[in-house]
Amino acid sequence: MINKRLLIKNLLAHNDESSFYDKKRQLNLHTKEGKAKFLKHICALSNSNPSNNSYIVVGVEDQDNEITGDDFFDDSRIQNLVNAYLENPPKILYENVPFPNLPKDKVVGLVTIKPKSKTSCFKKNIHTILANTVFVRRGSNSIPTEEKIPYSKLNIETVISIENSSRNSIANTLDGVIDFVNNRHKDIPSKYKVFKELFVICWAGIPKKIRDKTYFSRVDIELVNEQIKLFYSAQDDVSIEFDEDTFTITEYVPLGLNDKTSYYPLEQQKISFYDNGYYKIETEMLFEPPQYNRKVLFHIYNSTLSLLTKLQKSQELSEREELDLQSVPSTFMICYLNGFVDAKQKLIDAKPLLKQYKNKEVYVNFKEVMRVLRKMKYNGK
């Protein structure tokens, strides 16, 4: 098994960006421009590496390779974005890799692009990229080309060497477990379990019982062998179940209006372990949005817009309005899921206001809601 933290270090140590890997400060998949840039690099790296894996490292400064980290990104359906825009799309995997020097809510993203023989190209327009455009990698640049791409084994020995030097060891695994339990989560209960005598999952969270069911908040779950963060949330609650072969995480979203909150199952992630040293992660979207009276929602929607207008004009908020501001993201989401089609864009437009507000929990709530909406989008919900 490959230790993803070692792999990232070895990639960054291999000179600068190259024809088999790229690095980014962060990904922006909320805009057409951001999606187009990401897809361009996927297309170029895939076409330039038909015989070996290629990689994108996210959360690294371009100039000096400083590892600054990025937000936890749990969107396994990023493959759907690639499939939607690329002909002959490569298989890709996005993994969240924790580093000891980063805050608990920051990770380094690792995008793995699997090798394939057919040439990838854009099958429809996006931003300034036209359909049928083919990209290749020239050094550290992704450039369009009209030439036929020859089959190449240029990077295969280099990439295999980097991957082999990143293999895991008992010392790496033990250090990872000790760091997780004793350092990163010494303030909250944490546990670990070994599966098939090969895999170690650590998890931490604050337990609470509601109607005979145990939920965990402030949850952090990590597959230690590969240094992959499976789940992280400062807000949402999850339930955890496991047996000798599987580990299942069910994520819940607390939603409600007028201080009446209920728990709605959002997504279930099941990790299955096998005797041959293989594991598989399957996800299933469970979310069914709550439905409310439209007249009541119309009143709440307008009140929320008025609250944002006051915030934009830097007007002083009452104690009640400051409390209501924390619920603005979830209120907009409920309105959007009940047919207020403009609500999602209103929330996105409010991002700068919420981000700079003195109560940081407001912006955390915004990011959590956008994460849920992104999951629903890629599931076709």
Side-chain angles (χ1 to χ4, degrees):
M1 290 177 287
I2 293 179
N3 184 305
K4 300 303 168 62
R5 190 184 297 168
L6 286 178
L7 177 60
I8 289 172
K9 289 181 177 179
N10 288 333
L11 285 170
L12 295 179
H14 186 78
N15 299 320
D16 206 344
E17 295 164 318
S18 68
S19 56
F20 62 84
Y21 96 96
D22 195 5
K23 57 188 176 184
K24 299 293 174 190
R25 176 63 190 85
Q26 60 183 14
L27 291 184
N28 178 14
L29 301 182
H30 298 302
T31 66
K32 288 289 186 182
E33 181 181 4
K35 290 177 182 177
K37 287 181 178 179
F38 174 71
L39 291 166
K40 176 181 72 173
H41 294 309
I42 294 290
C43 181
L45 287 165
S46 176
N47 288 334
S48 300
N49 296 277
S51 306
N52 54 266
N53 290 334
S54 45
Y55 298 96
I56 300 175
V57 180
V58 182
V60 178
E61 293 292 347
D62 189 48
Q63 298 298 322
D64 57 5
N65 275 357
E66 181 186 358
I67 296 175
T68 53
D70 198 8
D71 289 339
F72 179 85
F73 187 82
D74 65 349
D75 203 335
S76 57
R77 294 160 199 82
I78 200 170
Q79 179 74 56
N80 293 2
L81 174 64
V82 175
N83 294 347
Y85 284 93
L86 295 186
E87 192 72 41
N88 300 320
K91 290 185 178 180
I92 65 171
L93 180 65
Y94 190 103
E95 296 168 305
N96 298 277
V97 184
F99 273 73
N101 61 313
L102 294 177
K104 284 187 289 188
D105 62 335
K106 296 293 181 182
V107 293
V108 175
L110 179 66
V111 182
T112 303
I113 304 158
K114 299 293 185 179
K116 60 165 187 55
S117 57
K118 293 184 178 180
T119 300
S120 295
C121 68
F122 279 77
K123 60 184 178 184
K124 58 183 178 180
N125 301 346
I126 180 171
H127 193 51
T128 60
I129 301 175
L130 301 178
N132 300 316
T133 302
V134 177
F135 285 89
V136 293
R137 197 79 174 167
R138 292 289 181 264
S140 61
N141 296 315
S142 299
I143 62 172
T145 182
E146 295 182 355
E147 301 175 2
K148 185 176 180 180
I149 302 174
Y151 187 79
S152 171
K153 293 187 177 182
L154 178 65
N155 296 316
I156 188 167
E157 290 185 5
T158 303
V159 173
I160 288 177
S161 174
I162 290 174
E163 290 174 343
N164 284 339
S165 64
S166 306
R167 298 290 173 185
N168 218 342
S169 67
I170 294 177
N172 292 141
T173 302
L174 289 176
D175 288 344
V177 173
I178 292 171
D179 178 62
F180 186 95
V181 174
N182 293 341
N183 297 328
R184 281 187 283 144
H185 298 293
K186 58 185 177 183
D187 58 329
I188 57 177
S190 56
K191 295 182 179 181
Y192 72 89
K193 180 170 175 59
V194 180
F195 294 88
K196 302 298 181 182
E197 299 183 350
L198 289 172
F199 304 97
V200 183
I201 288 186
C202 288
W203 69 96
I206 301 174
K208 60 180 176 181
K209 270 201 169 186
I210 300 178
R211 300 190 185 97
D212 297 325
K213 188 174 183 66
T214 301
Y215 298 91
F216 295 87
S217 58
R218 289 179 59 190
V219 179
D220 191 0
I221 305 174
E222 186 176 314
L223 178 58
V224 177
N225 302 71
E226 298 199 1
Q227 300 295 349
I228 298 172
K229 195 182 286 285
L230 296 171
F231 186 89
Y232 180 85
S233 176
Q235 297 293 311
D236 295 335
D237 295 292
V238 307
S239 64
I240 295 173
E241 299 174 334
F242 57 87
D243 54 31
E244 293 305 310
D245 302 311
T246 61
F247 187 92
T248 303
I249 308 160
T250 305
E251 179 183 359
Y252 293 81
V253 181
L255 284 177
L257 298 171
N258 299 323
D259 300 326
K260 295 181 180 179
T261 300
S262 298
Y263 286 91
Y264 297 87
L266 174 64
E267 183 180 59
Q268 187 175 88
Q269 185 179 65
K270 183 178 180 180
I271 304 99
S272 301
F273 300 97
Y274 302 93
D275 292 324
N276 61 356
Y278 174 73
Y279 69 92
K280 180 172 67 174
I281 300 178
E282 298 172 296
T283 58
E284 180 184 1
M285 195 70 171
L286 306 174
F287 189 55
E288 294 296 337
Q291 300 298 306
Y292 292 90
N293 181 281
R294 191 169 179 84
K295 288 184 178 179
V296 174
L297 275 184
F298 189 74
H299 172 72
I300 293 174
Y301 183 58
N302 285 333
S303 299
T304 304
L305 291 176
S306 299
L307 180 58
L308 287 178
T309 299
K310 289 188 69 174
L311 188 63
Q312 188 174 23
K313 293 180 179 179
S314 300
Q315 296 178 356
E316 187 175 351
L317 303 183
S318 67
E319 187 174 332
R320 179 65 207 182
E321 287 174 330
E322 287 188 353
L323 190 62
D324 289 342
L325 191 62
Q326 296 184 35
S327 303
V328 163
S330 59
T331 299
F332 270 132
M333 180 169 71
I334 289 172
C335 291
Y336 174 70
L337 297 176
N338 280 264
F340 290 70
V341 293
D342 294 336
K344 181 179 177 181
Q345 189 57 49
K346 294 288 186 184
L347 176 60
I348 294 173
D349 293 342
K351 177 181 177 180
L353 291 173
L354 303 179
K355 188 174 183 178
Q356 67 186 15
Y357 190 67
K358 58 185 179 181
N359 185 347
K360 300 305 178 185
E361 187 175 343
V362 172
Y363 184 59
V364 171
N365 292 343
F366 167 84
K367 292 194 291 185
E368 292 288 330
V369 164
M370 292 306 301
R371 181 171 63 86
V372 173
L373 290 174
R374 187 172 64 245
K375 281 187 175 185
M376 295 180 63
K377 176 183 177 181
Y378 287 123
N379 267 281
K381 286 276 188 176

